[in-house]
Amino acid sequence: MTDGQADGRPRLTVIGCGYLGATHAACMAELGFEVLGVDVDVERVKSLSAGRLPFFEPGLAELLSAQVESGRLRFTTSYAEAADFGDVHFVCVSTPQRAGDFAADVSRLDAVVTDLAPLLDRPCVVVGKSTVPVGTAERMRQRLRQLAPAGDAVALAWNPEFLREGHAIDDTVAPDRLVLGLAGGDDPTTEQTLRAVYTGPIAAGSPVVVCDLATAELVKVAANAFLATKVSFINAMAELCEAAGADVTRLAEAIGHDERIGRRFLNAGLGFGGGCLPKDIRAFMARAGELGAGDALTFLREVDAINQRRRARVVDLAGELLDRPWPGARIAVLGAAFKPHSDDIRDSPALNVAGRMHLLGAHVTVHDPKAMPNARRTWPTLAYADTIDDACAGAHLVLLATEWPQFRELDPAALATLVDTPALVDARNCLDPTRWRAAGWTYRALGRP
Ligand code: UDX
């Protein structure tokens, strides 16, 4: 390692300033590092340089503008500037599902290596944070060394992120674990450099797991596969509860008291969506198949299928509850984001269900506290209302699709005066059925009588 900050700490670049990268860059600056964010998107760089966050994440807009103001955080489109500045380069580009199959598209990662490596002419560490098919890191390491003038003085490490949207800052500055994947045979100072970057979180108690590159890559997808399985497990129980007339929310509470099981991530409902869980389990299956270990993950097909079935079931349930045919029925959908405290609508179960009902001929009006601009752009055929009241006025059915606090706290008696028919599908099991029924509503939910 050469250069560094005046205080001896390494200078950091963050390549790819989407959700993960923008959060990581702002948080590292907050931890006292000089950080240069790099992105190929000129508009994004302009916006971030002006301290404007191009998406919603609680607390992050304030953090970003404060760090830009402090001078510790800058953004650029120039790889030459990044190579010159950085001692540690965090790579945070996205790896979306490839068009036409389940595998992950790693072309953005490859492009970073192609553009950055020829400019690396002094010792540095490249740290992958993107979610990748196992084996990608080793391939990247070889290419970096081939292409970089500094050759073997360029080390590659893998440090997967586990941040949840809505909790991105906490998950970055106080992660519940730090995984440091290191290549055997690399400079032993690489681990020290990474520990220096994370001195604050480590001192505050975040445990560190050191492992090889392949294990670090797998940790991320294994964690997401487990979480997806947990959600689909409770949703499968919801299917059984529906068949048997039992209550999945009580069931989750009861099994959750067993410490080996735990109550978290056992909320039955419309299932998982977002930019990570759905595509990560598919990419994991695809990679396992390539490795000849496809049998080990066939259960994830079922996890995916259970998750998809919930979306279809919600539409059926709404159809059962409607007192009229779909064409012309007025439906209010509360929620567009894939989960609360986010404006992310990627693979959003809420919009998937809204879209299906629209295709059945219903007039669907959506309201969401944060995700309306994104939803409008992507689903222009749906109607949108700026307030809950406007969305529900004259509705023949209300569907709660994302469990925002604003929706949980709704007053059933007041809402009943606005709608045409007080019929409600609580697709997130987040309302009190007794209270809603007492206010005159026909209440239906998934996995509950
Ligand atoms: C996830 C992982 O949690 C995170 O560690 C990883 O880095 C990225 O993917 P995120 O996509 O932000 O994070 O959302 P998360 O809070 O994990 O929820 C995922 C989905 O599962 C959401 O659609 C949520 O509504 C759903 N979910 C979650 C349930 O349906 N039931 C639950 O009990 C929990």
Side-chain angles (χ1 to χ4, degrees):
M1 197 72 40
T2 57
D3 291 312
Q5 299 182 182
D7 62 6
R9 292 207 270 178
R11 285 200 175 92
L12 314 181
T13 78
V14 175
I15 301 170
C17 293
Y19 216 107
L20 165 62
T23 305
H24 193 64
C27 289
M28 290 298 117
E30 162 85 359
L31 292 177
F33 292 94
E34 289 171 29
V35 182
L36 181 64
V38 188
D39 203 292
V40 292
D41 181 336
V42 180
E43 287 310 312
R44 182 169 282 261
V45 166
K46 264 192 206 154
S47 164
L48 291 167
S49 298
R52 276 196 316 274
L53 191 65
F55 54 86
F56 171 73
E57 170 65 32
L60 191 59
E62 296 79 358
L63 187 68
L64 173 79
S65 59
Q67 293 309 319
V68 168
E69 188 103 330
S70 78
R72 272 200 300 276
L73 177 59
R74 294 182 300 116
F75 295 90
T76 181
T77 54
S78 162
Y79 277 98
E81 201 182 335
D84 187 47
F85 178 88
D87 305 301
V88 176
H89 303 282
F90 284 103
V91 182
C92 299
V93 294
S94 61
T95 51
Q97 187 173 332
R98 213 157 56 188
D101 65 37
F102 271 15
D105 174 358
V106 294
S107 59
R108 286 168 208 180
L109 212 56
D110 288 338
V112 170
V113 176
T114 308
D115 293 342
L116 180 71
L119 305 166
L120 298 176
D121 55 10
R122 63 182 172 92
C124 62
V125 185
V126 176
V127 185
K129 287 191 85 66
S130 308
T131 303
V132 291
V134 59
T136 305
E138 185 53 42
R139 187 169 60 78
M140 205 170 142
R141 177 170 171 264
Q142 313 253 352
R143 274 191 75 224
L144 272 170
R145 293 182 157 200
Q146 273 162 15
L147 300 176
D152 290 359
V154 176
L156 179 88
W158 217 260
N159 168 224
E161 59 78 27
F162 304 98
L163 65 84
R164 295 160 300 164
E165 296 188 12
H167 304 268
I169 297 176
D170 275 356
D171 287 350
T172 306
V173 297
D176 51 18
R177 79 288 214 188
L178 281 158
V179 176
L180 308 181
L182 303 167
D186 262 9
D187 184 345
T189 59
T190 304
E191 182 180 340
Q192 289 159 23
T193 304
L194 283 170
R195 285 182 182 269
V197 170
Y198 291 119
T199 306
I202 293 170
S206 292
V208 179
V209 180
V210 179
C211 58
D212 55 70
L213 291 175
T215 305
E217 292 169 302
L218 278 175
V219 167
K220 173 61 195 273
V221 276
N224 276 355
F226 190 87
L227 293 172
T229 304
K230 208 170 173 191
V231 173
S232 276
F233 174 83
I234 201 64
N235 282 333
M237 295 306 110
E239 288 187 16
L240 270 154
C241 286
E242 279 156 28
D247 183 339
V248 73
T249 62
R250 289 284 89 79
L251 183 129
E253 185 188 338
I255 65 171
H257 281 301
D258 184 331
E259 278 182 12
R260 295 168 303 173
I261 296 173
R263 175 62 185 81
R264 293 175 72 190
F265 254 72
L266 281 184
N267 295 326
L270 200 38
F272 59 83
C276 291
L277 261 44
K279 68 119 176 137
D280 285 355
I281 61 168
R282 292 174 194 153
F284 199 12
M285 284 187 268
R287 185 62 183 140
E290 287 167 6
L291 292 169
D295 286 354
L297 297 186
T298 45
F299 73 95
L300 287 179
R301 275 190 189 282
E302 204 46 49
V303 166
D304 203 0
I306 293 166
N307 195 50
Q308 295 299 328
R309 278 208 297 276
R310 291 289 78 185
R311 300 176 182 193
R313 173 70 187 132
V314 166
V315 178
D316 289 346
L317 197 57
E320 286 168 23
L321 204 56
L322 261 184
D323 61 357
R324 66 197 65 225
W326 281 107
R330 289 193 297 272
I331 313 289
V333 173
L334 300 182
F338 85 101
K339 69 172 193 181
H341 311 290
S342 170
D343 67 353
D344 195 342
I345 55 153
R346 284 176 293 171
D347 201 0
S348 166
L351 285 174
N352 182 293
V353 164
R356 287 175 195 230
M357 295 191 302
H358 170 75
L359 291 175
L360 288 167
H363 182 74
V364 180
T365 307
V366 179
H367 173 74
D368 189 281
K370 290 286 176 195
M372 300 269 279
N374 286 341
R376 268 201 184 99
R377 248 192 322 275
T378 316
W379 296 76
T381 49
L382 300 173
Y384 294 91
D386 288 332
T387 64
I388 299 175
D389 287 3
D390 287 349
C392 294
H396 301 125
L397 183 127
V398 177
L399 177 88
L400 195 160
T402 312
E403 66 278 32
W404 283 95
Q406 293 90 320
F407 303 156
R408 286 169 177 274
E409 288 153 16
L410 278 169
D411 174 358
L415 200 67
T417 63
L418 292 176
V419 296
D420 177 277
T421 315
L424 178 102
V425 175
D426 175 8
R428 290 293 179 182
N429 277 317
C430 66
L431 301 174
D432 176 358
T434 315
R435 200 165 152 242
W436 282 74
R437 286 184 179 130
W441 287 78
T442 314
Y443 171 99
R444 296 289 296 275
L446 292 166
R448 270 169 138 179

